[in-house]
Amino acid sequence: MLPSALLLASFASFAPFAPYTYAFSIPPLPHLNFLGIADAQKHQQPLHDTLDAWIQQEERIALDKLLANVSPGGRNVEGQGVAPGTVVASPSQAGPDYWYQWVRDAAITMNTLVDVYAEDTSSPLGGKLSSILDAYTSLQQMIQHTSNPSGTFDDLSGLGEPKFEIDGTSFTGSWGRPQRDGPALRALTLIHYLHEYNASHPTLWTSSRADDFFAPFYEASMPPTSVIKADLEYVSHYWNQSGFDLWEEVEGLHFFTLMVSARSLREGSQLARAFGDLGAADWYTLQAGYIENLLSKFWNKQKGHLVETLWSKRSGLDCGLLLGSLHALPADGSDDDAVYPPWSDKILASLLALTRDQRDRFPINSSPWSSSDDEEVDADEEEPFEGTGLGRYPEDTYNGYSTTHHGNPWFLCTSSAAEVLYRTASHISTSANLIISPTSMPFYTSLLASSSLDVNEGAYGPSDALFHSIIERLGAVGDQFLAVVRRHVDAEGSMSEQFDKETGFMTGARDLTWSYGAFLQAVRARKVMKSL
Ligand code: NOJ
Ligand code: NOJ
């Protein structure tokens, strides 16, 4: 059934926004085609190149290497029985075996590809990406209906299954399941894709093709017949049940999972409304509100930071806090209704605490300023906030192969810190307003520790020197995090999952798809910041 003309207006108003506008976009190198980075990656990047030059080159390499792990078309997956629409987590099939499709990794990767698609929907790359996204949608519909150890489609319990075989069949080995972030992330990605597709095909909504086009994505019918509706039903009915965290290890209620759940229901509610599915729209909004309420419990006042899992023995410091904040941003770039956006006091306080922990924990993070043995200074008070290699969480014992050792810094976590800082800089500069509260005071103090400015609580605007220094430092420290990424990639610009905390060499699953995606997202946020 086509939505009524009345609702068209609401879809039209939610459709054509351009999430981010760039002052410049990187023209493709003439010798590169869609997958062809081969020439550029053969020689090592000269070390004296500026970070800007490296980022520009690495952006192309990361996209190429990410696409290599995506079917159809990816060179690491072609001819190996990988179902079209699949994202393999890594081409590594042993030691460790990441030759699967994780629902989370796939959704996050496809969301990155939606951003790339939106940059130029009518280019050859745009066309290719749109067919990849269509294949992804069909495959997800298929795997939603595939019975698996988490359950079935009938009561939707099967949607909590975290990973599938590369041909789309169920994975039956023992695993930390269910994981409830997958359906939320998938809904967010597909809603984002619908927005972008609709924006670039403005006549589609009213055309006779509309029914056919939208049916796999959203239909009001119950039981669900479309991917997004099934995911929203899953999230809205299961969010208050415990499940495994994004790292697949602990059972409970998790910040990352709940953040993306709430956002998926907020976006889903708007979508449902556009399709005349008003009862569902209200239901999703109601549940989103409950989740946001629960999220307030993740702030631990004594500790002075957020915690990733409620009632856990762990400290709670976790890269999942950063990822939860980033992946729960409204797709339209509006900031108003985000819970714990990257620039919020509580995320910044948590980032500071996590960074300090990881700086001291990993030998490769030692830098000249931390080597001085000035006992009388309270290190935390005096030391500036600087970019450093970040891992998943302090207590981590997974070294990329087994959990009997120690954790290491991860590429995707290090990139996510950069993205938080770039987005914070953009937010402060566009809102022309910076409020330093007791909660964010330690963050801003250590951010500016290397300057001569005094940081005091209060409100600041473009007429204050402090306002500009803070924006400048946010960008500079974001760049330090990306400089850490740069230091640990190999000569071809490849990224695995982790880099060794002592030697700095890459370790864990090679060519981890998510590592490339997280880097691309940070670079995207950096471009927005630079365009302001
Ligand atoms: C382990 C990570 O902890 C998890 O988040 C991820 O989904 C899988 N590896 C696959 O990349
Ligand atoms: C009934 C509504 O009609 C449906 O569309 C909505 O999503 C469910 N309630 C919630 O499960």
Side-chain angles (χ1 to χ4, degrees), residues 218 220-222 229 233 236-237 277 279-281 283-284:
Y218 197 91
S221 42
M222 285 291 286
K229 178 81 180 181
E233 288 297 312
S236 64
H237 286 98
D277 195 5
W283 163 256
Y284 300 148

Side-chain angles (χ1 to χ4, degrees), residues 91-110:
S92 175
Q93 302 192 21
D97 184 3
Y98 274 41
W99 190 241
Y100 295 96
Q101 159 151 247
W102 268 264
V103 177
R104 167 182 40 261
D105 297 44
I108 288 174
T109 302
M110 287 292 174

Side-chain angles (χ1 to χ4, degrees), residues 310-380:
L310 285 184
W311 312 300
S312 159
K313 286 189 196 127
R314 289 184 186 169
S315 67
L317 287 176
D318 198 302
C319 156
L321 300 169
L322 310 182
L323 295 169
S325 171
L326 292 169
H327 289 285
L329 281 170
D332 64 359
S334 69
D335 320 315
D336 314 339
D337 68 341
V339 192
Y340 301 123
W343 48 88
S344 61
D345 295 354
K346 290 172 181 163
I347 290 293
L348 295 175
S350 304
L351 171 61
L352 176 66
L354 176 64
T355 303
R356 282 180 172 157
D357 175 278
Q358 304 283 285
R359 174 196 67 197
D360 299 341
R361 187 171 298 278
F362 300 135
I364 51 156
N365 285 339
S366 305
S367 64
W369 45 261
S370 60
S371 61
S372 86
D373 293 315
D374 270 349
E375 285 138 33
E376 73 275 27
V377 298
D378 175 343
D380 279 359

